[in-house]
Amino acid sequence: MSNEWRGTTWPAWMGKGFGPHATEGSAARDWTRESVAKPFERLYTTARCALDADFLLLYLPNTRGALELVAHRGGPPEWPAPLHRISPVAESFVARAVRGGTIESADAEAPAAPEDVRMAHAASGVRFFMAAPVALHGERTGALVAGFTRPNSLKTRGALEALADLAASVLEDKRARGEAEASASAWQYAFRTFFDTAMGSILVANDDGRLLEANAAACSLLGRSREEIVGLTIREITPAHGNARFDELWRTFLSDGIQTGHFTFVRGDGSTIDVEYHARANVIPGCHVAGLHDMTEQSRASARMRRDHESLTRAQRIARVGSIDWDIRDNEVRWSAECYRLLGLEPTPTPRTLEDASALLAARMSPEEQARVRAAYEAALESGRSFSVDLHIRRPDGEERLLHQEADIECDAAGKAVRIVGTIQDVTEQRRAEQALRRSRESLARAQSVAHVGHWEWDAKAGESCWSEEVYRIFGLPPRTGPEPPQTLASVLPPEERTRILEAFRALVERGEPFSCEHRVLRPDGEHRIVRVEAELTRDEAGRPLNVLGVVQDITDLRRAEREREAGRRALADERRWLRAVIESSPVGIQLWEGVGSPQVTQNRMADQLLGGLAASLPNLDYLRTLVSRPDGSSIGAGELSVERAMRGEVSLGREVIVKRPDGTDLHALVNASPVCDEDGTIQGAVVLFSDISAMKELARLREEWTSIVAHDLRQPVTTILATAAHLVRCVVEPSTKLKAERIRASAERLIRMTDDLSDLSRLDTHRLELVRAPTNLPGLLRQIVEDIADEAARGRVRLSIDRNMPLVHVDAARIQQVVENLVSNAVKYGEPGTPIAIELRALPEEVVLCVRNEGPGIDPELMPRLFSRFQRGSAGTSRIKGLGLGLYICRGLVEAHGGLLRVESEPGKTTTFLFTLPIGG
């Protein structure tokens, strides 16, 4: 913690803070770091001048009542952790000052000095301390603590008390300001959010009528962006003939404070829009707000209905369109005669109530349809705008029809809907035809887009042509409707293509010759495309040309693909030749298995030399299994051949096998196999590589023989030396001689272990390790291993942790004991002296896991990759551990011989864990 203010903010409605001391229940929730940093700095400066204080600490109560160190200046960079938070009921120097409400003094070297004073003295070197209570809002009390090198006086006590009162005053002032600013910011954010997201149009203007703000709905209503609106005066968006009326309304508005009415604005495109407005003056002093509602469509619809009432009545009889007139205030619904006929009912001139009319319609509509129509009516009534809705009905005779309703809404001066007038038309056949035509056009457009094929038609009489949208896209032109003059086509044809295309088209029109050609087009962006054009001529009854219908297909990608396919074919042929040459000259035997069900086998020249004619004599995989065996001579089961694994998608690397060649000799080979897949990942075959390792095997045999001889010849004299040394230890009394005998015996025992390690190494490398498996009680074995530890101090550090209901495991108990003893020995040698060594045994569904964990410096990350290699030794501290460095290599070999895995996890400076698994099934 640096020598600066460490406060942070805890708004009351959040309940939690953040920062270096901010946990649940932290202090200083009412003050921010920035607002208190400068006052606290001034407090410290004052303390240095007036009190000659060496440091100053500020404690404030958190929400749980504990006193928390939130700021400090002077003294050490970091105070002890127990001083960061102090209980108010503790017998501490600071807590007494808070509880008593008086200034407390303390001498750190006094026999009865409180513990917190002693800790502060140890951290800062300051001997004398004073603490003054800081009274805060809400009956909370903090503390201001000062440290002095020299004893303090009554004057110092008074100055510190005044300084504490000043701190309380500043903190409370900052808290009050923060709450006021947070409240104002919240209201401002809420108003801005409401203003920006309101569906209604809102304008804000000043006393001069200049617009200060407009929300999104107002911008849409006026057809202008916010940047265009802000800064304009209302007069500037008012029609010229309405300025005088605006001036009068504005003066009245500023006088009355509230105003409602209708007004006309000029939109951004020059058109006018009628609105209903509701305005209030001085919502904020000098700011006036108005809400606008679009009345344009409603006014136009009402006028049109009044002018065209008689024409509409006559048109209904001709067009079979019914009308609806709903007087909302009088609750009267009038339907025209055609309306009744459309619904399959007999006409009646008597007005109906809304309930009667709704019941008639509901009897002919499903519940879902009723809900949809009701929602449409409710939305229209709320907005006051014209609306349209489709009605799916079933007539009394069972026939289903589709009716389309269009309606206008009339509102009173207050904007309340008072009347709905509309029409109902049977559009069943029209909609069916429209849907069929739309589906046909969409299908044609999609088909042309997918196939990159457009169509065109040339009118012989007008000399003009019409293009589909896809033709425009192919030519890189913007689609448009209407005929296209010949110049448009000429603009996209390269000059060298125009004459050829024109002559071919003349031959079609004049002589009826087939029109089919490929040519290039030049798009406006400079891109060249290749198209194919086909056309057919239609003549009238007199044989004169009538029109030409043609298609245009963009074949650029097709031609490019053809070129790429040809280039790819040539490249593939080259790659095949290169690959064949590489395979034939490879020093490794290579077999290619093509096919999965009945594979065909081919092999290179080296494979012929190594395997003879073996590939030609392989009728099936069962026969191959009789020729291939494991290094120990055991047979390979079904599905376990390297090529079989590869056919299943597995990769085999460095697998040693023995192959019986046709001449009867054995070939020791190292096999690598991998699947061969197509682009979809489907396995199509496998590739198998053979490397002759007969020479390596002979060298390993000689090495094992030499190792066995050396180990055997060394063991007998070493055993004699060990026995003699043990006898001397028992019989000799003279201390120096007895110590020398002990050294001889220890050296002989280490030499025997080395010869045993060399023997195990030889057996592992030549795959001749024999395991004597038997059902083994691992918990009992582990307990026996711990009891047999000779070093009593090391035995006392071991902690066993074993799961209950541990199953019997089919293993070689002596070899597992060898592994565990080696791991425990490493934990003793490399671990931190005196720290515990944990041995844990856990049971999983298919295996058991045994862990050996110790504390210490850990394993060097650079050593981790080669830790289980031969002749690798670690170090304990600055000294190297004696030995051959074969222990972990042999342990891994023994574990893997049991079908398990050995790995290590090490965190430098903390713990190192060796763990290995053993299959329960053996």
Side-chain angles (χ1 to χ4, degrees), residues 796-817:
R797 293 167 56 191
V798 177
R799 305 289 187 269
L800 274 177
S801 175
I802 302 174
D803 283 353
R804 295 183 178 180
N805 302 321
M806 185 63 62
L808 296 178
V809 184
H810 200 71
V811 296
D812 186 331
R815 291 300 187 180
I816 299 303
Q817 181 176 353

Side-chain angles (χ1 to χ4, degrees), residues 73-126:
R73 195 71 170 88
E78 181 64 34
W79 290 89
L83 296 182
H84 286 182
R85 187 172 296 162
I86 298 174
S87 172
V89 298
E91 288 299 320
S92 74
F93 170 65
V94 177
R96 287 206 307 267
V98 172
R99 288 197 305 270
T102 59
I103 295 180
E104 292 284 336
S105 299
D107 181 352
E109 296 183 2
E115 183 62 27
D116 53 347
V117 171
R118 294 178 183 276
M119 294 177 65
H121 171 64
S124 63
V126 174

Side-chain angles (χ1 to χ4, degrees), residues 304-378:
R304 185 171 57 251
M305 289 177 63
R306 286 191 300 269
R307 290 193 307 267
D308 299 336
H309 177 69
E310 292 183 0
S311 298
L312 180 60
T313 302
R314 291 194 298 270
Q316 286 188 28
R317 293 195 300 269
I318 299 171
R320 298 184 62 190
V321 176
S323 64
I324 297 176
D325 187 346
W326 175 22
D327 188 328
I328 299 176
R329 287 178 295 193
D330 295 338
N331 193 21
E332 287 186 355
V333 179
R334 293 184 181 272
W335 289 350
S336 67
E338 192 62 27
C339 259
Y340 285 96
R341 283 191 287 270
L342 293 177
L343 295 174
L345 301 173
E346 288 296 327
T348 174
T350 307
R352 296 181 178 273
T353 63
L354 175 62
E355 292 72 22
D356 292 341
S358 299
L360 281 176
L361 287 174
R364 284 150 184 78
M365 292 190 295
S366 65
E368 295 80 7
E369 190 72 5
Q370 296 175 41
R372 186 180 64 82
V373 173
R374 185 182 304 110
Y377 264 86
E378 291 174 353

Side-chain angles (χ1 to χ4, degrees), residues 288-501:
H288 319 296
V289 179
L292 309 181
H293 177 64
D294 185 3
M295 299 292 293
T296 304
E297 291 298 324
Q298 179 176 334
S299 299
R300 292 176 181 174
S302 298
R304 185 171 57 251
M305 289 177 63
R306 286 191 300 269
R307 290 193 307 267
D308 299 336
H309 177 69
E310 292 183 0
S311 298
L312 180 60
T313 302
R314 291 194 298 270
Q316 286 188 28
R317 293 195 300 269
I318 299 171
R320 298 184 62 190
V321 176
S323 64
I324 297 176
D325 187 346
W326 175 22
D327 188 328
I328 299 176
R329 287 178 295 193
D330 295 338
N331 193 21
E332 287 186 355
V333 179
R334 293 184 181 272
W335 289 350
S336 67
E338 192 62 27
C339 259
Y340 285 96
R341 283 191 287 270
L342 293 177
L343 295 174
L345 301 173
E346 288 296 327
T348 174
T350 307
R352 296 181 178 273
T353 63
L354 175 62
E355 292 72 22
D356 292 341
S358 299
L360 281 176
L361 287 174
R364 284 150 184 78
M365 292 190 295
S366 65
E368 295 80 7
E369 190 72 5
Q370 296 175 41
R372 186 180 64 82
V373 173
R374 185 182 304 110
Y377 264 86
E378 291 174 353
L381 290 172
E382 181 178 353
S383 65
R385 297 183 180 180
S386 302
F387 72 97
S388 63
V389 64
D390 288 341
L391 311 176
H392 296 266
I393 68 165
R394 183 187 295 273
R395 290 177 173 174
D397 59 3
E399 182 181 5
E400 293 186 357
R401 305 297 293 179
L402 175 62
L403 307 181
H404 179 71
Q405 180 180 358
E406 296 278 351
D408 288 332
I409 299 178
E410 294 182 9
C411 299
D412 58 16
K416 182 179 180 181
V418 296
R419 187 181 182 193
I420 296 180
V421 179
T423 62
I424 293 182
Q425 181 181 9
D426 189 337
V427 295
T428 306
E429 285 75 17
Q430 176 185 345
R431 292 294 175 84
R432 289 173 182 170
E434 290 174 354
Q435 291 175 1
L437 179 60
R438 183 168 56 254
R439 285 195 296 267
S440 177
R441 288 179 175 174
E442 290 175 353
S443 298
L444 177 60
R446 286 198 300 269
Q448 290 188 1
S449 178
V450 171
H452 300 293
V453 176
H455 72 276
W456 54 272
E457 185 175 0
W458 176 73
D459 189 326
K461 183 177 181 180
E464 296 175 334
S465 59
C466 294
W467 299 352
S468 69
E469 290 188 4
E470 190 61 25
V471 173
Y472 286 100
R473 282 193 287 268
I474 292 174
F475 289 167
L477 298 173
R480 54 180 176 265
T481 59
E484 286 292 341
Q487 292 80 3
T488 305
L489 177 61
S491 68
V492 298
L493 289 176
E496 63 273 13
E497 298 279 8
R498 294 174 187 170
T499 302
R500 181 171 66 90
I501 301 302

Side-chain angles (χ1 to χ4, degrees), residues 487-767:
Q487 292 80 3
T488 305
L489 177 61
S491 68
V492 298
L493 289 176
E496 63 273 13
E497 298 279 8
R498 294 174 187 170
T499 302
R500 181 171 66 90
I501 301 302
L502 179 59
E503 290 178 352
F505 189 76
R506 285 177 178 173
L508 170 67
V509 176
E510 296 174 0
R511 299 186 297 275
E513 296 181 4
F515 184 89
S516 177
C517 66
E518 288 186 15
H519 65 84
R520 293 180 299 112
V521 297
L522 179 61
R523 289 179 170 178
D525 61 3
E527 182 184 7
H528 284 270
R529 305 294 291 181
I530 303 174
V531 299
R532 182 172 185 82
V533 184
E534 304 278 348
E536 183 179 282
L537 174 66
T538 302
R539 298 180 184 274
D540 60 14
E541 296 178 355
R544 294 185 297 270
L546 186 61
N547 59 42
V548 176
L549 181 64
V551 295
V552 180
Q553 181 180 12
D554 187 344
I555 60 172
T556 307
D557 296 337
L558 176 62
R559 292 293 180 260
R560 184 185 298 116
E562 290 175 351
R563 291 193 299 271
E564 292 175 354
R565 184 166 59 250
E566 179 61 24
R569 186 189 65 77
R570 291 194 297 268
L572 181 60
D574 293 341
E575 290 180 3
R576 286 181 179 272
R577 286 192 295 272
W578 278 97
L579 181 60
R580 188 177 298 110
V582 171
I583 291 176
E584 285 300 319
S585 60
S586 174
V588 178
I590 301 176
Q591 283 187 344
L592 300 178
W593 294 67
E594 300 181 45
V596 178
S598 300
Q600 299 294 321
V601 184
T602 58
Q603 61 187 29
N604 68 347
R605 185 181 298 108
M606 181 56 67
D608 288 335
Q609 295 178 8
L610 294 177
L611 305 176
L614 193 60
S617 61
L618 297 181
N620 54 48
L621 294 173
D622 292 334
Y623 177 69
L624 180 61
R625 270 190 289 274
T626 64
L627 304 177
V628 180
S629 60
R630 292 188 172 88
D632 59 2
S634 61
S635 60
I636 298 178
E640 291 301 314
L641 288 173
S642 297
V643 66
E644 290 179 299
R645 291 183 175 181
M647 292 295 188
R648 294 196 302 267
E650 301 178 19
V651 176
S652 300
L653 299 175
R655 191 179 185 192
E656 185 179 344
V657 298
I658 300 176
V659 181
K660 182 72 70 177
R661 294 193 284 198
D663 61 1
T665 61
D666 290 338
L667 170 68
H668 291 267
L670 203 63
V671 180
N672 297 309
S674 176
V676 178
C677 304
D678 59 15
E679 295 179 353
D680 299 328
T682 304
I683 297 176
Q684 301 295 325
V687 58
V688 184
L689 279 65
F690 294 88
S691 299
D692 186 0
I693 59 172
S694 299
M696 295 173 57
K697 297 298 293 185
E698 178 62 19
L699 181 62
R701 186 190 65 78
L702 293 175
R703 183 180 62 192
E704 179 192 4
E705 182 177 340
W706 178 85
T707 303
S708 299
I709 292 173
V710 170
H712 180 271
D713 291 347
L714 282 175
R715 192 176 188 87
Q716 184 174 357
V718 171
T719 302
T720 302
I721 294 172
L722 179 63
T724 303
H727 177 73
L728 289 174
V729 169
R730 291 192 301 272
C731 299
V732 174
V733 178
E734 202 275 323
S736 62
T737 305
K738 189 178 184 69
L739 178 60
K740 293 178 181 179
E742 283 284 3
R743 291 177 178 175
I744 294 173
R745 185 179 67 173
S747 299
E749 289 176 347
R750 185 166 62 253
L751 186 57
I752 288 178
R753 287 195 299 272
M754 290 182 180
T755 58
D756 290 341
D757 287 346
L758 289 174
S759 298
D760 287 341
L761 174 65
S762 176
R763 295 187 188 97
L764 288 172
D765 288 346
T766 57
H767 305 286

